[in-house]
């Protein structure tokens, strides 16, 4: 549980650092959230893989398929969240 918490904390620091940096460039909060979130998926996946599961970051087919599945799940939740919340 400690490794998972550490992984999430580091990932959130990266996310908010990118978000605030982008916010200084553009005034669109939605754009900042989208770009920071889209970027954070890859480093969050990498941090979980290394810190939580102790796996290497070897860029192989398994890693690429895991990352693609993660993007698919996050993308689906990102699209469905407003629809479910407004219902």
């Amino acid at each position: 549980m400690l490794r998972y918490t550490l992984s999430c904390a580091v990932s959130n620091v990266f996310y908010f650092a990118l978000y605030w940096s982008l916010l200084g460039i553009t005034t669109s909060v939605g754009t900042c959230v989208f770009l920071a979130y889209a970027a954070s998926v890859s480093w969050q996946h990498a941090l979980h893989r290394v810190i939580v599961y102790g796996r290497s970051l070897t860029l192989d087919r398994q890693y690429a398929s895991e990352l693609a599945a993660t993007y698919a799940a996050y993308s689906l939740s990102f699209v469905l969240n407003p629809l479910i919340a407004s219902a």
Side-chain angles (χ1 to χ4, degrees):
M1 183 69 166
L2 180 62
R3 292 186 299 184
Y4 177 78
T5 303
L6 176 64
S7 175
C8 289
V10 171
S11 182
N12 284 334
V13 167
F14 287 167
Y15 168 82
F16 282 110
L18 181 57
Y19 171 80
W20 288 113
S21 298
L22 291 170
L23 200 56
I25 296 170
T26 181
T27 57
S28 172
V29 172
T31 301
C32 295
V33 168
F34 173 77
L35 292 174
Y37 188 76
S40 74
V41 171
S42 60
W43 69 61
Q44 187 176 37
H45 181 266
L47 287 169
H48 275 63
R49 184 178 174 109
V50 172
I51 296 173
V52 177
Y53 298 108
R55 293 185 178 170
S56 68
L57 278 179
T58 306
L59 298 177
D60 55 9
R61 283 190 175 165
Q62 181 184 7
Y63 182 78
S65 66
E66 288 174 358
L67 185 57
T70 302
Y71 264 108
Y74 278 123
S75 298
L76 184 63
S77 67
F78 202 68
V79 169
L80 292 180
N81 187 26
L83 299 173
I84 294 169
S86 67

